PDB file of all heavy atoms in Angstrom:
ATOM      1  N   CYS A   1      70.585   5.336 -61.372  1.00 98.00           N
ATOM      2  CA  CYS A   1      69.918   6.501 -61.959  1.00 98.00           C
ATOM      3  C   CYS A   1      70.006   7.725 -61.038  1.00 98.00           C
ATOM      4  O   CYS A   1      70.110   8.862 -61.507  1.00 98.00           O
ATOM      5  CB  CYS A   1      68.457   6.185 -62.257  1.00 98.00           C
ATOM      6  SG  CYS A   1      68.204   5.033 -63.631  1.00 98.00           S
ATOM      7  N   LEU A   2      69.964   7.486 -59.730  1.00 97.00           N
ATOM      8  CA  LEU A   2      70.030   8.585 -58.766  1.00 97.00           C
ATOM      9  C   LEU A   2      71.466   8.986 -58.428  1.00 97.00           C
ATOM     10  O   LEU A   2      71.707  10.067 -57.896  1.00 97.00           O
ATOM     11  CB  LEU A   2      69.313   8.187 -57.471  1.00 97.00           C
ATOM     12  CG  LEU A   2      67.790   8.021 -57.544  1.00 97.00           C
ATOM     13  CD1 LEU A   2      67.263   7.436 -56.243  1.00 97.00           C
ATOM     14  CD2 LEU A   2      67.110   9.352 -57.839  1.00 97.00           C
ATOM     15  N   GLY A   3      72.400   8.085 -58.704  1.00 97.00           N
ATOM     16  CA  GLY A   3      73.781   8.339 -58.317  1.00 97.00           C
ATOM     17  C   GLY A   3      73.968   8.304 -56.814  1.00 97.00           C
ATOM     18  O   GLY A   3      74.853   8.968 -56.263  1.00 97.00           O
ATOM     19  N   MET A   4      73.149   7.527 -56.136  1.00 96.00           N
ATOM     20  CA  MET A   4      73.194   7.422 -54.674  1.00 96.00           C
ATOM     21  C   MET A   4      72.923   5.983 -54.268  1.00 96.00           C
ATOM     22  O   MET A   4      72.176   5.273 -54.947  1.00 96.00           O
ATOM     23  CB  MET A   4      72.134   8.335 -54.024  1.00 96.00           C
ATOM     24  CG  MET A   4      72.286   9.807 -54.342  1.00 96.00           C
ATOM     25  SD  MET A   4      70.889  10.784 -53.697  1.00 96.00           S
ATOM     26  CE  MET A   4      71.163  10.633 -51.916  1.00 96.00           C
ATOM     27  N   LYS A   5      73.509   5.571 -53.164  1.00 96.00           N
ATOM     28  CA  LYS A   5      73.261   4.239 -52.628  1.00 96.00           C
ATOM     29  C   LYS A   5      72.164   4.290 -51.559  1.00 96.00           C
ATOM     30  O   LYS A   5      72.050   5.274 -50.825  1.00 96.00           O
ATOM     31  CB  LYS A   5      74.547   3.664 -52.003  1.00 96.00           C
ATOM     32  CG  LYS A   5      75.581   3.247 -53.037  1.00 96.00           C
ATOM     33  CD  LYS A   5      75.090   2.054 -53.851  1.00 96.00           C
ATOM     34  CE  LYS A   5      76.137   1.590 -54.851  1.00 96.00           C
ATOM     35  NZ  LYS A   5      75.621   0.470 -55.687  1.00 96.00           N
ATOM     36  N   ALA A   6      71.383   3.228 -51.500  1.00 95.00           N
ATOM     37  CA  ALA A   6      70.299   3.156 -50.524  1.00 95.00           C
ATOM     38  C   ALA A   6      70.752   2.431 -49.266  1.00 95.00           C
ATOM     39  O   ALA A   6      71.459   1.424 -49.338  1.00 95.00           O
ATOM     40  CB  ALA A   6      69.109   2.432 -51.126  1.00 95.00           C
ATOM     41  N   GLU A   7      70.320   2.957 -48.122  1.00 95.00           N
ATOM     42  CA  GLU A   7      70.435   2.206 -46.874  1.00 95.00           C
ATOM     43  C   GLU A   7      69.191   1.335 -46.770  1.00 95.00           C
ATOM     44  O   GLU A   7      68.067   1.834 -46.894  1.00 95.00           O
ATOM     45  CB  GLU A   7      70.509   3.166 -45.685  1.00 95.00           C
ATOM     46  CG  GLU A   7      70.626   2.462 -44.343  1.00 95.00           C
ATOM     47  CD  GLU A   7      70.537   3.422 -43.172  1.00 95.00           C
ATOM     48  OE1 GLU A   7      70.696   4.639 -43.382  1.00 95.00           O
ATOM     49  OE2 GLU A   7      70.276   2.939 -42.044  1.00 95.00           O
ATOM     50  N   LYS A   8      69.374   0.036 -46.559  1.00 95.00           N
ATOM     51  CA  LYS A   8      68.253  -0.898 -46.674  1.00 95.00           C
ATOM     52  C   LYS A   8      67.871  -1.511 -45.326  1.00 95.00           C
ATOM     53  O   LYS A   8      68.731  -2.031 -44.611  1.00 95.00           O
ATOM     54  CB  LYS A   8      68.607  -2.013 -47.664  1.00 95.00           C
ATOM     55  CG  LYS A   8      69.020  -1.514 -49.040  1.00 95.00           C
ATOM     56  CD  LYS A   8      69.501  -2.651 -49.929  1.00 95.00           C
ATOM     57  CE  LYS A   8      70.042  -2.142 -51.254  1.00 95.00           C
ATOM     58  NZ  LYS A   8      71.347  -1.440 -51.096  1.00 95.00           N
ATOM     59  N   ASN A   9      66.586  -1.453 -45.016  1.00 93.00           N
ATOM     60  CA  ASN A   9      66.018  -2.212 -43.899  1.00 93.00           C
ATOM     61  C   ASN A   9      65.495  -3.524 -44.465  1.00 93.00           C
ATOM     62  O   ASN A   9      64.470  -3.539 -45.156  1.00 93.00           O
ATOM     63  CB  ASN A   9      64.842  -1.461 -43.259  1.00 93.00           C
ATOM     64  CG  ASN A   9      65.275  -0.290 -42.416  1.00 93.00           C
ATOM     65  OD1 ASN A   9      66.385  -0.266 -41.899  1.00 93.00           O
ATOM     66  ND2 ASN A   9      64.403   0.697 -42.279  1.00 93.00           N
ATOM     67  N   MET A  10      66.173  -4.621 -44.206  1.00 94.00           N
ATOM     68  CA  MET A  10      65.751  -5.914 -44.738  1.00 94.00           C
ATOM     69  C   MET A  10      64.689  -6.508 -43.810  1.00 94.00           C
ATOM     70  O   MET A  10      64.954  -6.763 -42.633  1.00 94.00           O
ATOM     71  CB  MET A  10      66.947  -6.853 -44.875  1.00 94.00           C
ATOM     72  CG  MET A  10      68.107  -6.250 -45.674  1.00 94.00           C
ATOM     73  SD  MET A  10      67.646  -5.710 -47.339  1.00 94.00           S
ATOM     74  CE  MET A  10      67.671  -7.274 -48.201  1.00 94.00           C
ATOM     75  N   LEU A  11      63.487  -6.726 -44.360  1.00 94.00           N
ATOM     76  CA  LEU A  11      62.338  -7.120 -43.552  1.00 94.00           C
ATOM     77  C   LEU A  11      61.686  -8.387 -44.107  1.00 94.00           C
ATOM     78  O   LEU A  11      61.864  -8.716 -45.279  1.00 94.00           O
ATOM     79  CB  LEU A  11      61.308  -5.980 -43.533  1.00 94.00           C
ATOM     80  CG  LEU A  11      61.792  -4.649 -42.943  1.00 94.00           C
ATOM     81  CD1 LEU A  11      60.795  -3.544 -43.223  1.00 94.00           C
ATOM     82  CD2 LEU A  11      62.025  -4.794 -41.443  1.00 94.00           C
ATOM     83  N   PRO A  12      60.913  -9.099 -43.280  1.00 93.00           N
ATOM     84  CA  PRO A  12      60.242 -10.322 -43.767  1.00 93.00           C
ATOM     85  C   PRO A  12      59.104 -10.007 -44.727  1.00 93.00           C
ATOM     86  O   PRO A  12      58.688  -8.853 -44.874  1.00 93.00           O
ATOM     87  CB  PRO A  12      59.727 -10.969 -42.482  1.00 93.00           C
ATOM     88  CG  PRO A  12      59.576  -9.838 -41.523  1.00 93.00           C
ATOM     89  CD  PRO A  12      60.671  -8.871 -41.847  1.00 93.00           C
ATOM     90  N   LEU A  13      58.601 -11.062 -45.361  1.00 89.00           N
ATOM     91  CA  LEU A  13      57.461 -10.939 -46.268  1.00 89.00           C
ATOM     92  C   LEU A  13      56.264 -10.370 -45.520  1.00 89.00           C
ATOM     93  O   LEU A  13      55.935 -10.816 -44.426  1.00 89.00           O
ATOM     94  CB  LEU A  13      57.114 -12.314 -46.851  1.00 89.00           C
ATOM     95  CG  LEU A  13      56.017 -12.381 -47.917  1.00 89.00           C
ATOM     96  CD1 LEU A  13      56.493 -11.751 -49.215  1.00 89.00           C
ATOM     97  CD2 LEU A  13      55.607 -13.832 -48.166  1.00 89.00           C
ATOM     98  N   GLN A  14      55.619  -9.372 -46.113  1.00 87.00           N
ATOM     99  CA  GLN A  14      54.446  -8.752 -45.506  1.00 87.00           C
ATOM    100  C   GLN A  14      53.202  -9.621 -45.690  1.00 87.00           C
ATOM    101  O   GLN A  14      53.055 -10.284 -46.737  1.00 87.00           O
ATOM    102  CB  GLN A  14      54.189  -7.392 -46.180  1.00 87.00           C
ATOM    103  CG  GLN A  14      55.161  -6.315 -45.768  1.00 87.00           C
ATOM    104  CD  GLN A  14      54.663  -5.564 -44.564  1.00 87.00           C
ATOM    105  OE1 GLN A  14      53.793  -4.720 -44.653  1.00 87.00           O
ATOM    106  NE2 GLN A  14      55.229  -5.863 -43.414  1.00 87.00           N
ATOM    107  N   PRO A  15      52.297  -9.628 -44.731  1.00 87.00           N
ATOM    108  CA  PRO A  15      51.020 -10.330 -44.928  1.00 87.00           C
ATOM    109  C   PRO A  15      50.301  -9.799 -46.168  1.00 87.00           C
ATOM    110  O   PRO A  15      50.240  -8.588 -46.392  1.00 87.00           O
ATOM    111  CB  PRO A  15      50.232  -9.986 -43.655  1.00 87.00           C
ATOM    112  CG  PRO A  15      51.273  -9.660 -42.634  1.00 87.00           C
ATOM    113  CD  PRO A  15      52.393  -9.012 -43.393  1.00 87.00           C
ATOM    114  N   GLY A  16      49.792 -10.708 -46.977  1.00 81.00           N
ATOM    115  CA  GLY A  16      49.074 -10.312 -48.190  1.00 81.00           C
ATOM    116  C   GLY A  16      49.944 -10.222 -49.418  1.00 81.00           C
ATOM    117  O   GLY A  16      49.439 -10.171 -50.543  1.00 81.00           O
ATOM    118  N   ASP A  17      51.272 -10.186 -49.238  1.00 84.00           N
ATOM    119  CA  ASP A  17      52.191 -10.115 -50.371  1.00 84.00           C
ATOM    120  C   ASP A  17      52.496 -11.512 -50.910  1.00 84.00           C
ATOM    121  O   ASP A  17      52.367 -12.504 -50.192  1.00 84.00           O
ATOM    122  CB  ASP A  17      53.513  -9.455 -49.958  1.00 84.00           C
ATOM    123  CG  ASP A  17      53.498  -7.957 -50.176  1.00 84.00           C
ATOM    124  OD1 ASP A  17      52.497  -7.451 -50.707  1.00 84.00           O
ATOM    125  OD2 ASP A  17      54.484  -7.300 -49.802  1.00 84.00           O
ATOM    126  N   VAL A  18      52.937 -11.569 -52.150  1.00 88.00           N
ATOM    127  CA  VAL A  18      53.404 -12.827 -52.744  1.00 88.00           C
ATOM    128  C   VAL A  18      54.866 -12.650 -53.134  1.00 88.00           C
ATOM    129  O   VAL A  18      55.304 -11.546 -53.436  1.00 88.00           O
ATOM    130  CB  VAL A  18      52.552 -13.234 -53.968  1.00 88.00           C
ATOM    131  CG1 VAL A  18      51.114 -13.492 -53.545  1.00 88.00           C
ATOM    132  CG2 VAL A  18      52.607 -12.180 -55.066  1.00 88.00           C
ATOM    133  N   PRO A  19      55.645 -13.725 -53.129  1.00 89.00           N
ATOM    134  CA  PRO A  19      57.077 -13.590 -53.407  1.00 89.00           C
ATOM    135  C   PRO A  19      57.404 -13.222 -54.848  1.00 89.00           C
ATOM    136  O   PRO A  19      58.408 -12.563 -55.105  1.00 89.00           O
ATOM    137  CB  PRO A  19      57.634 -14.990 -53.073  1.00 89.00           C
ATOM    138  CG  PRO A  19      56.584 -15.654 -52.260  1.00 89.00           C
ATOM    139  CD  PRO A  19      55.283 -15.086 -52.708  1.00 89.00           C
ATOM    140  N   ALA A  20      56.567 -13.664 -55.795  1.00 92.00           N
ATOM    141  CA  ALA A  20      56.927 -13.461 -57.195  1.00 92.00           C
ATOM    142  C   ALA A  20      55.687 -13.316 -58.066  1.00 92.00           C
ATOM    143  O   ALA A  20      54.623 -13.874 -57.762  1.00 92.00           O
ATOM    144  CB  ALA A  20      57.763 -14.639 -57.703  1.00 92.00           C
ATOM    145  N   THR A  21      55.825 -12.549 -59.160  1.00 95.00           N
ATOM    146  CA  THR A  21      54.803 -12.478 -60.198  1.00 95.00           C
ATOM    147  C   THR A  21      55.476 -12.589 -61.563  1.00 95.00           C
ATOM    148  O   THR A  21      56.610 -12.142 -61.735  1.00 95.00           O
ATOM    149  CB  THR A  21      53.987 -11.168 -60.148  1.00 95.00           C
ATOM    150  OG1 THR A  21      54.854 -10.050 -60.370  1.00 95.00           O
ATOM    151  CG2 THR A  21      53.287 -11.002 -58.803  1.00 95.00           C
ATOM    152  N   TYR A  22      54.759 -13.185 -62.515  1.00 96.00           N
ATOM    153  CA  TYR A  22      55.332 -13.431 -63.844  1.00 96.00           C
ATOM    154  C   TYR A  22      54.151 -13.657 -64.782  1.00 96.00           C
ATOM    155  O   TYR A  22      53.410 -14.634 -64.627  1.00 96.00           O
ATOM    156  CB  TYR A  22      56.254 -14.657 -63.762  1.00 96.00           C
ATOM    157  CG  TYR A  22      56.958 -15.103 -65.025  1.00 96.00           C
ATOM    158  CD1 TYR A  22      56.870 -14.400 -66.225  1.00 96.00           C
ATOM    159  CD2 TYR A  22      57.730 -16.268 -65.003  1.00 96.00           C
ATOM    160  CE1 TYR A  22      57.528 -14.836 -67.362  1.00 96.00           C
ATOM    161  CE2 TYR A  22      58.392 -16.710 -66.135  1.00 96.00           C
ATOM    162  CZ  TYR A  22      58.291 -15.994 -67.311  1.00 96.00           C
ATOM    163  OH  TYR A  22      58.938 -16.438 -68.441  1.00 96.00           O
ATOM    164  N   ALA A  23      53.979 -12.772 -65.736  1.00 97.00           N
ATOM    165  CA  ALA A  23      52.800 -12.796 -66.605  1.00 97.00           C
ATOM    166  C   ALA A  23      53.028 -13.614 -67.865  1.00 97.00           C
ATOM    167  O   ALA A  23      53.975 -13.378 -68.611  1.00 97.00           O
ATOM    168  CB  ALA A  23      52.420 -11.371 -66.999  1.00 97.00           C
ATOM    169  N   ASP A  24      52.123 -14.552 -68.101  1.00 98.00           N
ATOM    170  CA  ASP A  24      52.015 -15.209 -69.409  1.00 98.00           C
ATOM    171  C   ASP A  24      51.105 -14.325 -70.263  1.00 98.00           C
ATOM    172  O   ASP A  24      49.926 -14.149 -69.932  1.00 98.00           O
ATOM    173  CB  ASP A  24      51.409 -16.600 -69.236  1.00 98.00           C
ATOM    174  CG  ASP A  24      51.271 -17.370 -70.550  1.00 98.00           C
ATOM    175  OD1 ASP A  24      51.229 -16.737 -71.620  1.00 98.00           O
ATOM    176  OD2 ASP A  24      51.174 -18.611 -70.502  1.00 98.00           O
ATOM    177  N   VAL A  25      51.647 -13.753 -71.334  1.00 98.00           N
ATOM    178  CA  VAL A  25      50.866 -12.827 -72.167  1.00 98.00           C
ATOM    179  C   VAL A  25      50.528 -13.435 -73.524  1.00 98.00           C
ATOM    180  O   VAL A  25      50.237 -12.725 -74.480  1.00 98.00           O
ATOM    181  CB  VAL A  25      51.606 -11.483 -72.342  1.00 98.00           C
ATOM    182  CG1 VAL A  25      51.684 -10.736 -71.015  1.00 98.00           C
ATOM    183  CG2 VAL A  25      53.001 -11.682 -72.928  1.00 98.00           C
ATOM    184  N   THR A  26      50.538 -14.759 -73.604  1.00 98.00           N
ATOM    185  CA  THR A  26      50.260 -15.443 -74.865  1.00 98.00           C
ATOM    186  C   THR A  26      48.938 -15.009 -75.473  1.00 98.00           C
ATOM    187  O   THR A  26      48.855 -14.733 -76.684  1.00 98.00           O
ATOM    188  CB  THR A  26      50.246 -16.969 -74.642  1.00 98.00           C
ATOM    189  OG1 THR A  26      51.482 -17.381 -74.066  1.00 98.00           O
ATOM    190  CG2 THR A  26      50.029 -17.701 -75.952  1.00 98.00           C
ATOM    191  N   ASP A  27      47.888 -14.931 -74.675  1.00 98.00           N
ATOM    192  CA  ASP A  27      46.566 -14.580 -75.196  1.00 98.00           C
ATOM    193  C   ASP A  27      46.526 -13.138 -75.690  1.00 98.00           C
ATOM    194  O   ASP A  27      45.889 -12.831 -76.708  1.00 98.00           O
ATOM    195  CB  ASP A  27      45.494 -14.786 -74.122  1.00 98.00           C
ATOM    196  CG  ASP A  27      45.210 -16.258 -73.858  1.00 98.00           C
ATOM    197  OD1 ASP A  27      46.136 -17.069 -74.011  1.00 98.00           O
ATOM    198  OD2 ASP A  27      44.078 -16.591 -73.493  1.00 98.00           O
ATOM    199  N   LEU A  28      47.189 -12.245 -74.966  1.00 98.00           N
ATOM    200  CA  LEU A  28      47.240 -10.837 -75.381  1.00 98.00           C
ATOM    201  C   LEU A  28      47.931 -10.700 -76.732  1.00 98.00           C
ATOM    202  O   LEU A  28      47.446  -9.991 -77.626  1.00 98.00           O
ATOM    203  CB  LEU A  28      47.991 -10.015 -74.324  1.00 98.00           C
ATOM    204  CG  LEU A  28      48.005  -8.495 -74.524  1.00 98.00           C
ATOM    205  CD1 LEU A  28      46.622  -7.906 -74.255  1.00 98.00           C
ATOM    206  CD2 LEU A  28      49.050  -7.844 -73.612  1.00 98.00           C
ATOM    207  N   VAL A  29      49.042 -11.385 -76.890  1.00 98.00           N
ATOM    208  CA  VAL A  29      49.777 -11.346 -78.162  1.00 98.00           C
ATOM    209  C   VAL A  29      48.924 -11.925 -79.289  1.00 98.00           C
ATOM    210  O   VAL A  29      48.832 -11.359 -80.388  1.00 98.00           O
ATOM    211  CB  VAL A  29      51.111 -12.110 -78.040  1.00 98.00           C
ATOM    212  CG1 VAL A  29      51.797 -12.228 -79.402  1.00 98.00           C
ATOM    213  CG2 VAL A  29      52.040 -11.422 -77.035  1.00 98.00           C
ATOM    214  N   ARG A  30      48.272 -13.041 -79.009  1.00 97.00           N
ATOM    215  CA  ARG A  30      47.454 -13.703 -80.035  1.00 97.00           C
ATOM    216  C   ARG A  30      46.279 -12.838 -80.479  1.00 97.00           C
ATOM    217  O   ARG A  30      45.994 -12.716 -81.677  1.00 97.00           O
ATOM    218  CB  ARG A  30      46.927 -15.024 -79.473  1.00 97.00           C
ATOM    219  CG  ARG A  30      46.055 -15.833 -80.444  1.00 97.00           C
ATOM    220  CD  ARG A  30      45.263 -16.895 -79.703  1.00 97.00           C
ATOM    221  NE  ARG A  30      44.282 -16.307 -78.797  1.00 97.00           N
ATOM    222  CZ  ARG A  30      43.920 -16.845 -77.640  1.00 97.00           C
ATOM    223  NH1 ARG A  30      44.453 -17.980 -77.227  1.00 97.00           N
ATOM    224  NH2 ARG A  30      43.009 -16.237 -76.883  1.00 97.00           N
ATOM    225  N   ASP A  31      45.593 -12.212 -79.523  1.00 97.00           N
ATOM    226  CA  ASP A  31      44.341 -11.529 -79.852  1.00 97.00           C
ATOM    227  C   ASP A  31      44.506 -10.084 -80.278  1.00 97.00           C
ATOM    228  O   ASP A  31      43.718  -9.596 -81.095  1.00 97.00           O
ATOM    229  CB  ASP A  31      43.380 -11.603 -78.659  1.00 97.00           C
ATOM    230  CG  ASP A  31      42.849 -13.010 -78.427  1.00 97.00           C
ATOM    231  OD1 ASP A  31      43.073 -13.875 -79.292  1.00 97.00           O
ATOM    232  OD2 ASP A  31      42.222 -13.243 -77.371  1.00 97.00           O
ATOM    233  N   VAL A  32      45.481  -9.373 -79.731  1.00 97.00           N
ATOM    234  CA  VAL A  32      45.624  -7.955 -80.102  1.00 97.00           C
ATOM    235  C   VAL A  32      47.009  -7.623 -80.645  1.00 97.00           C
ATOM    236  O   VAL A  32      47.304  -6.470 -80.939  1.00 97.00           O
ATOM    237  CB  VAL A  32      45.279  -7.011 -78.916  1.00 97.00           C
ATOM    238  CG1 VAL A  32      43.857  -7.257 -78.448  1.00 97.00           C
ATOM    239  CG2 VAL A  32      46.262  -7.157 -77.765  1.00 97.00           C
ATOM    240  N   GLY A  33      47.869  -8.643 -80.767  1.00 97.00           N
ATOM    241  CA  GLY A  33      49.176  -8.425 -81.396  1.00 97.00           C
ATOM    242  C   GLY A  33      50.091  -7.515 -80.628  1.00 97.00           C
ATOM    243  O   GLY A  33      50.849  -6.734 -81.210  1.00 97.00           O
ATOM    244  N   TYR A  34      50.048  -7.604 -79.305  1.00 96.00           N
ATOM    245  CA  TYR A  34      50.868  -6.681 -78.520  1.00 96.00           C
ATOM    246  C   TYR A  34      51.501  -7.366 -77.335  1.00 96.00           C
ATOM    247  O   TYR A  34      50.874  -8.189 -76.665  1.00 96.00           O
ATOM    248  CB  TYR A  34      50.022  -5.504 -78.006  1.00 96.00           C
ATOM    249  CG  TYR A  34      50.848  -4.522 -77.217  1.00 96.00           C
ATOM    250  CD1 TYR A  34      51.844  -3.781 -77.848  1.00 96.00           C
ATOM    251  CD2 TYR A  34      50.674  -4.372 -75.850  1.00 96.00           C
ATOM    252  CE1 TYR A  34      52.632  -2.914 -77.124  1.00 96.00           C
ATOM    253  CE2 TYR A  34      51.458  -3.505 -75.117  1.00 96.00           C
ATOM    254  CZ  TYR A  34      52.443  -2.777 -75.766  1.00 96.00           C
ATOM    255  OH  TYR A  34      53.235  -1.922 -75.046  1.00 96.00           O
ATOM    256  N   LYS A  35      52.750  -6.976 -77.044  1.00 96.00           N
ATOM    257  CA  LYS A  35      53.475  -7.477 -75.883  1.00 96.00           C
ATOM    258  C   LYS A  35      54.297  -6.336 -75.288  1.00 96.00           C
ATOM    259  O   LYS A  35      55.098  -5.714 -75.988  1.00 96.00           O
ATOM    260  CB  LYS A  35      54.418  -8.619 -76.291  1.00 96.00           C
ATOM    261  CG  LYS A  35      55.242  -9.203 -75.153  1.00 96.00           C
ATOM    262  CD  LYS A  35      56.151 -10.324 -75.666  1.00 96.00           C
ATOM    263  CE  LYS A  35      56.983 -10.928 -74.538  1.00 96.00           C
ATOM    264  NZ  LYS A  35      57.929  -9.960 -73.953  1.00 96.00           N
ATOM    265  N   PRO A  36      54.096  -6.007 -73.999  1.00 96.00           N
ATOM    266  CA  PRO A  36      54.910  -4.971 -73.356  1.00 96.00           C
ATOM    267  C   PRO A  36      56.403  -5.302 -73.469  1.00 96.00           C
ATOM    268  O   PRO A  36      56.789  -6.475 -73.431  1.00 96.00           O
ATOM    269  CB  PRO A  36      54.450  -5.017 -71.900  1.00 96.00           C
ATOM    270  CG  PRO A  36      53.043  -5.544 -71.975  1.00 96.00           C
ATOM    271  CD  PRO A  36      53.069  -6.542 -73.094  1.00 96.00           C
ATOM    272  N   ASP A  37      57.241  -4.248 -73.581  1.00 93.00           N
ATOM    273  CA  ASP A  37      58.667  -4.541 -73.795  1.00 93.00           C
ATOM    274  C   ASP A  37      59.625  -3.519 -73.197  1.00 93.00           C
ATOM    275  O   ASP A  37      60.834  -3.597 -73.424  1.00 93.00           O
ATOM    276  CB  ASP A  37      58.955  -4.692 -75.291  1.00 93.00           C
ATOM    277  CG  ASP A  37      58.700  -3.418 -76.081  1.00 93.00           C
ATOM    278  OD1 ASP A  37      58.298  -2.400 -75.480  1.00 93.00           O
ATOM    279  OD2 ASP A  37      58.900  -3.442 -77.311  1.00 93.00           O
ATOM    280  N   MET A  38      59.138  -2.543 -72.429  1.00 97.00           N
ATOM    281  CA  MET A  38      60.041  -1.544 -71.860  1.00 97.00           C
ATOM    282  C   MET A  38      60.954  -2.176 -70.805  1.00 97.00           C
ATOM    283  O   MET A  38      60.497  -2.855 -69.892  1.00 97.00           O
ATOM    284  CB  MET A  38      59.232  -0.414 -71.227  1.00 97.00           C
ATOM    285  CG  MET A  38      60.064   0.630 -70.492  1.00 97.00           C
ATOM    286  SD  MET A  38      61.102   1.635 -71.578  1.00 97.00           S
ATOM    287  CE  MET A  38      59.864   2.774 -72.216  1.00 97.00           C
ATOM    288  N   SER A  39      62.259  -1.942 -70.930  1.00 97.00           N
ATOM    289  CA  SER A  39      63.215  -2.447 -69.941  1.00 97.00           C
ATOM    290  C   SER A  39      63.111  -1.645 -68.652  1.00 97.00           C
ATOM    291  O   SER A  39      62.758  -0.456 -68.675  1.00 97.00           O
ATOM    292  CB  SER A  39      64.643  -2.352 -70.484  1.00 97.00           C
ATOM    293  OG  SER A  39      65.054  -0.988 -70.556  1.00 97.00           O
ATOM    294  N   VAL A  40      63.417  -2.279 -67.518  1.00 97.00           N
ATOM    295  CA  VAL A  40      63.369  -1.536 -66.258  1.00 97.00           C
ATOM    296  C   VAL A  40      64.459  -0.465 -66.224  1.00 97.00           C
ATOM    297  O   VAL A  40      64.278   0.574 -65.583  1.00 97.00           O
ATOM    298  CB  VAL A  40      63.494  -2.463 -65.016  1.00 97.00           C
ATOM    299  CG1 VAL A  40      62.280  -3.356 -64.896  1.00 97.00           C
ATOM    300  CG2 VAL A  40      64.775  -3.249 -65.010  1.00 97.00           C
ATOM    301  N   GLU A  41      65.548  -0.694 -66.925  1.00 98.00           N
ATOM    302  CA  GLU A  41      66.618   0.315 -66.953  1.00 98.00           C
ATOM    303  C   GLU A  41      66.104   1.628 -67.547  1.00 98.00           C
ATOM    304  O   GLU A  41      66.310   2.713 -66.981  1.00 98.00           O
ATOM    305  CB  GLU A  41      67.820  -0.203 -67.753  1.00 98.00           C
ATOM    306  CG  GLU A  41      68.630  -1.288 -67.055  1.00 98.00           C
ATOM    307  CD  GLU A  41      67.974  -2.665 -67.089  1.00 98.00           C
ATOM    308  OE1 GLU A  41      67.000  -2.846 -67.857  1.00 98.00           O
ATOM    309  OE2 GLU A  41      68.435  -3.571 -66.364  1.00 98.00           O
ATOM    310  N   GLN A  42      65.425   1.542 -68.678  1.00 98.00           N
ATOM    311  CA  GLN A  42      64.893   2.748 -69.310  1.00 98.00           C
ATOM    312  C   GLN A  42      63.687   3.283 -68.558  1.00 98.00           C
ATOM    313  O   GLN A  42      63.533   4.496 -68.378  1.00 98.00           O
ATOM    314  CB  GLN A  42      64.502   2.454 -70.765  1.00 98.00           C
ATOM    315  CG  GLN A  42      64.072   3.698 -71.544  1.00 98.00           C
ATOM    316  CD  GLN A  42      65.172   4.746 -71.625  1.00 98.00           C
ATOM    317  OE1 GLN A  42      66.272   4.454 -72.102  1.00 98.00           O
ATOM    318  NE2 GLN A  42      64.898   5.953 -71.139  1.00 98.00           N
TER     319      GLN A  42
END
């Protein structure tokens, strides 16, 4: 999107951070009929 490459400092996991997140939205869909859907590209 920027048309530029990043120089990257590769660093270890920070204290307090978690490696991954992944939302189960079954209850949200069931109760209010909605599920987020925007792609990261857009």
Side-chain angles (χ1 to χ4, degrees):
C1 289
L2 292 172
M4 300 173 68
K5 287 293 182 183
E7 180 187 344
K8 304 174 186 71
N9 286 334
M10 307 303 280
L11 299 169
L13 185 70
Q14 286 270 283
D17 269 356
V18 297
T21 62
Y22 180 4
D24 181 337
V25 293
T26 304
D27 287 31
L28 186 71
V29 173
R30 180 196 66 213
D31 290 350
V32 301
Y34 181 66
K35 179 180 180 296
D37 63 0
M38 175 68 78
S39 70
V40 293
E41 288 77 13
Q42 186 60 57

